[in-house]
Structure formats: C-alpha cells, structure tokens
C-alpha cells in the first residue's frame, strides 16, 4: 500500500488560552478530495496552516509523503494553498501570476511557458493570459488562483474556503470544476468549508470538526446517514429527534417507548443499549412518510399528527407536523407517481411513519 499523502498524529495547537486544536489524528490518502467541515472557530484554518507550515504545532506530528515536517519551512513542503482572497499579485498579468512559482524554482523559460500554458488551458483561461486580475470576474480570478497553485504539481493542494467570495450560481459551477480539476490532476485536495452541502457534494471523505476536535470522519453518505452524535447529525442537515426509553432488548432489536407507544427498532450496535436507557431516535425530514387517513390504517409504527405548516419548495413539499405530545416534526415529501397528491391542508389530521431502518438511534443527549 502506498504511503498516505498526509498523516497527523495527536496534533495540537494553542494560542495563549485558546486551544484551537486538541489532539487531531488523521490520515489522508493520495488522490483524495477531503473536506474539513465545521462551524466558525472550530480550527479548520489552523489545521490547514499547520499542514502548510505557516504555524508550528504546540505538540504532535505532521508527516507528508512519509517525511516529518518538523522544522521544514512552507516553501520546502510539497504543498500549495489557495486562499479565500485568492491573493493574486494585482500588478502582474495572469501569465506572470501563474509563472511566479516556476520562476522561483529557476526552471528554463521554455519549461516555464509550457507549464503555465498547460495550467491556463486546464482552467480555460489561455486567452486571457495578458489581463490583470482587476480585469477578470470573480470566477476567473478563482481559476487563476487554482492554476497558480497547481502549476508546480504539488502533492497536496490546500483550499481555504476558496469559493466564499462567489455568488450562489458561480459557486455551484466552481464546485463541479474543482472536482474535475482534482480528478484530472490526481493531486490530493484538502478543502475547508463551513457549508455542509458543499462538503457533501464535493468530497470523497468529510472530516466534521467541532471545538478543535474531530467529531466524525467518513464518506458523505456515512456522515449524513449514520452520524455518530447529535452535533454531526445537526451540522450536516435538518434532523428530527424523538426521545424514548428502551423497554426491552430482544437480540438485535429494541422495543422502545416513543410518543406514547412501543415500537420495534434495530440499531446498528444493539449491545450499546440496555433496558431503561434513554435514547434519541433521529430521522431526517425526507425519510418521514406522511399519509392521509384513508391511505393507511393506523399501525404499530405509525403516529397520528396534525399538519401545522405547508411549504411548497418546487421539488418537495415541506410540512411541519405536530404529534399529540406537542412535539413538532419537519417532513419533506417528494413529488412522485405514488405520491403525486401533496396538497396537504393546515389543520389536517395525518399519519406519519418512516422507512424502517432509516432512523439512527443514539444514547440520549440533553
Ligand atoms: P472560520 O470558519 O471562522 O475561519 P476556523 O474553523 O477556520 O474558523 P480557526 O481560524 O482555525 O477556525 O480558529 C480556531 C480558534 O483559534 C479560534 O478560536 C480562533 O480565534 C483562534 N485563533 C486562530 N488563529 C489565532 C491566532 N493567530 N492567535 C490567537 N488565536 C487564534
């Protein structure tokens, strides 16, 4: 097996009283597009700056391609960074901005021209090589920043919220472009964002961070469908949480008292739970099924509810439902052949359930 591109062992960083990173362990494989996702202040930028060499760890180790980075300055690391601000040289044209790195390496003129041309071709800017950054749109400046960062073929490209300055449509388009560049180049990308949609749609793996720690690492699907705790579940999307109590455990299934009835659930790790334990049952809004009273007979796993809000969203109809306990649930209903009639009325009585097994069961968190 090839060496990981990056290995972090018990990496910590303190600024005075602030513990920005608290013992980070992480391995990043070659060719991965990994995102660091988390709220403002959780330590994402600090982690990137430590890998780039702009900051020194308080403790712990950084290894890149099998080599310890202790004492290695930024310019000697096989890493390049694209910043949120792009940090282009305003007085230089596009060609010279991209050629800056290869020139400092002392490459021959012909080789520099070849590399710069190749990088500008990739980002579709070969025709604008003579323009200054101020004569370019936001998206074009972003592409120059990417061309400049990849022209020397670093092993790892670090991207610190690089799409923040772009409007929604351009940002969506650039997300797809970035994935394509990454695939084309085969370079490991570590991408920082606080936008969960961006993280889920772009990455091969997502690292969810909170208060200087890693909460969970996994594929977008694992993070979304099997969050390890409430923080991850809430951070990557909307979630409904129903509180219950384990009445009995029978092999791999739990009987759980929930909203005035006892239902049967099959958690992924049943051994974690004992009779009497308080549990939370987490269900995504799109996993809830809402039935008209004449569509379904009341079943053991079905709850009666009242429709409180109906919000038309184009691809879905989003409902706020109230259970008899007063607990509110958010439910997204997709238009499809089986369920084309989504004209729910406020105040209507309905049944709600979910696709068995699509819930996540966690120990109760207050
Ligand atoms: P954002 O999404 O807002 O950029 P972040 O997740 O990137 O946030 P960091 O910038 O890594 O977070 O900051 C982590 C913590 O470390 C914060 O509490 C921040 O105030 C603190 N911090 C970062 N750099 C410094 C510094 N040079 N001096 C003092 N404190 C710092």
């Amino acid at each position: 097996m090839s060496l990981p591109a990056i290995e972090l062992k018990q990496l910590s960083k303190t600024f005075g009283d602030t513990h920005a990173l608290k013992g980070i362990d992480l391995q990043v494989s070659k060719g991965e597009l990994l995102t660091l996702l988390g709220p403002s202040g959780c330590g994402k930028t600090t982690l990137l700056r430590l890998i780039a060499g702009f900051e020194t760890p308080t403790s712990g180790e950084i290894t890149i391609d099998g080599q310890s980075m202790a004492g290695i300055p930024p310019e000697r690391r096989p890493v390049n960074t694209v910043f949120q601000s792009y940090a282009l040289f305003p007085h230089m044209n596009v060609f010279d901005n991209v050629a800056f790195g290869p020139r400092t390496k002392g490459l021959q003129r012909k080789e520099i021209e070849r590399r710069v041309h190749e990088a500008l071709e990739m980002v579709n800017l070969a025709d604008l090589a003579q323009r200054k950054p101020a004569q370019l749109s936001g998206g074009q400046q972003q592409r120059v920043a990417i061309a400049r960062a990849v022209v020397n073929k670093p092993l790892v490209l670090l991207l610190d919220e690089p799409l923040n300055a772009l409007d929604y449509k351009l940002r969506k388009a650039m997300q797809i472009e970035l994935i394509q560049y990454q695939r084309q180049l085969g370079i490991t990308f570590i991408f920082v964002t606080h936008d969960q949609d961006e993280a889920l749609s772009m990455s091969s793996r997502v690292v969810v961070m909170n208060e200087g720690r890693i909460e969970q690492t996994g594929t977008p699907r694992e993070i979304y469908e099997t969050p390890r705790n409430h923080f991850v579940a809430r951070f990557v999307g909307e979630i409904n949480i129903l509180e219950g109590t384990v009445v009995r455990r029978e092999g791999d299934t739990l009987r759980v008292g929930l909203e005035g009835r006892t239902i049967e659930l099959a958690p992924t790790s049943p051994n974690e739970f004992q009779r009497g334990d308080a549990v939370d049952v987490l269900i995504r809004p799109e996993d809830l099924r809402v039935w008209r009273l004449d569509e379904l007979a009341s079943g053991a796993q079905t709850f009666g509810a009242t429709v409180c809000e109906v919000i038309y969203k184009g691809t879905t109809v989003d409902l706020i439902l109230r259970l008899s306990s007063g607990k509110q649930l958010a439910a997204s209903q997709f238009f499809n052949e089986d369920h084309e009639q989504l004209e729910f009325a406020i105040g209507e009585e309905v049944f709600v359930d979910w696709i068995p097994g699509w819930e996540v069961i966690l120990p109760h968190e207050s």
Side-chain angles (χ1 to χ4, degrees):
M1 218 182 79
S2 73
L3 287 170
I6 297 187
E7 190 166 19
L8 309 176
K9 278 194 196 148
Q10 280 301 301
L11 196 64
S12 294
K13 178 69 183 174
T14 348
F15 298 102
D17 296 341
T18 309
H19 294 278
L21 294 175
K22 303 168 186 165
I24 299 285
D25 286 307
L26 182 67
Q27 278 203 2
V28 188
S29 303
K30 285 184 183 151
E32 264 201 273
L33 201 170
L34 183 99
T35 45
L36 304 178
L37 173 69
S40 183
C42 72
K44 308 178 294 289
T45 299
T46 303
L47 188 54
L48 225 56
R49 289 175 59 79
L50 286 170
I51 296 169
F54 301 128
E55 302 278 358
T56 316
T58 307
S59 61
E61 260 180 62
I62 301 171
T63 311
I64 303 183
D65 203 19
Q67 236 205 321
S68 165
M69 288 295 115
I72 310 267
E75 65 279 9
R76 289 193 32 232
R77 297 187 181 200
V79 170
N80 218 330
T81 311
V82 175
F83 297 99
Q84 188 177 330
S85 58
Y86 316 146
L88 300 176
F89 302 117
H91 57 287
M92 287 186 192
N93 67 23
V94 168
F95 184 94
D96 290 334
N97 260 285
V98 179
F100 186 82
R103 281 184 182 138
T104 57
K105 283 204 155 184
L107 297 173
Q108 292 210 323
R109 223 188 79 202
K110 272 253 144 54
E111 176 61 11
I112 294 174
E113 275 177 16
R114 193 190 63 73
R115 285 192 187 195
V116 173
H117 190 71
E118 191 185 80
L120 288 178
E121 281 280 314
M122 183 187 81
V123 297
N124 227 345
L125 281 183
D127 293 345
L128 303 182
Q130 300 311 316
R131 293 239 189 126
K132 296 272 174 62
Q135 298 168 311
L136 299 174
S137 71
Q140 289 164 339
Q141 291 182 35
Q142 176 63 73
R143 291 196 191 100
V144 179
I146 291 162
R148 191 179 58 174
V150 300
V151 69
N152 276 339
K153 301 255 156 71
L155 183 75
V156 178
L157 187 64
L158 307 174
L159 302 110
D160 193 359
E161 309 226 22
L163 308 180
N164 270 17
L166 307 177
D167 66 40
Y168 179 79
K169 267 202 147 168
L170 190 53
R171 188 173 175 135
K172 288 272 160 204
M174 284 303 295
Q175 288 173 2
I176 295 168
E177 273 188 40
L178 273 177
I179 299 172
Q180 289 167 343
Y181 298 149
Q182 194 268 343
R183 217 172 273 152
Q184 221 170 316
L185 292 161
I187 293 175
T188 306
F189 276 29
I190 302 185
F191 186 94
V192 163
T193 183
H194 60 261
D195 177 337
Q196 64 276 17
D197 284 341
E198 193 158 278
L200 294 180
S201 54
M202 289 184 67
S203 334
S204 51
R205 266 195 318 154
V206 182
V207 177
V208 183
M209 294 178 64
N210 183 29
E211 295 183 354
R213 289 204 176 83
I214 293 178
E215 296 279 357
Q216 188 169 353
T217 305
T219 62
R221 192 166 179 168
E222 284 164 351
I223 297 284
Y224 190 80
E225 292 183 5
T226 46
R228 188 180 288 162
N229 55 38
H230 286 48
F231 177 85
V232 175
R234 285 208 178 94
F235 201 78
V236 297
E238 246 194 287
I239 195 95
N240 294 298
I241 302 179
L242 294 174
E243 294 170 21
T245 309
V246 177
V247 177
R248 204 168 45 206
R249 201 178 94 201
E250 291 161 355
D252 287 347
T253 59
L254 298 181
R255 293 188 68 74
V256 175
L258 203 67
E259 294 291 323
R261 49 180 56 197
T262 304
I263 65 167
E264 206 166 275
L265 299 172
T268 27
S269 18
N271 297 339
E272 265 182 48
F273 301 99
Q274 301 302 325
R275 185 175 160 198
D277 281 355
V279 290
D280 291 333
V281 179
L282 283 64
I283 311 144
R284 298 263 177 224
E286 66 274 18
D287 296 342
L288 282 177
R289 300 183 295 194
V290 183
W291 307 94
R292 292 227 148 70
L293 297 186
D294 58 2
E295 279 183 305
L296 194 75
S298 169
Q301 311 270 112
T302 317
F303 299 89
T306 311
V307 176
C308 297
E309 287 296 340
V310 181
I311 304 142
Y312 174 79
K313 285 273 194 64
T315 48
T316 59
V317 170
D318 290 0
L319 305 173
I320 305 292
L321 307 172
R322 195 177 55 242
L323 300 177
S324 54
S325 65
K327 173 86 190 168
Q328 294 209 337
L329 298 177
S332 287
Q333 302 295 289
F334 288 87
F335 293 96
N336 64 36
E337 280 174 49
D338 304 333
H339 217 141
E340 60 193 8
Q341 253 285 37
L342 293 179
E343 307 272 319
F344 291 98
I346 292 174
E348 188 176 342
E349 298 294 320
V350 292
F351 288 127
V352 60
D353 69 358
W354 60 87
I355 302 168
W358 286 26
E359 74 285 351
V360 172
I361 304 155
L362 295 174
H364 175 65
E365 274 181 37
S366 44

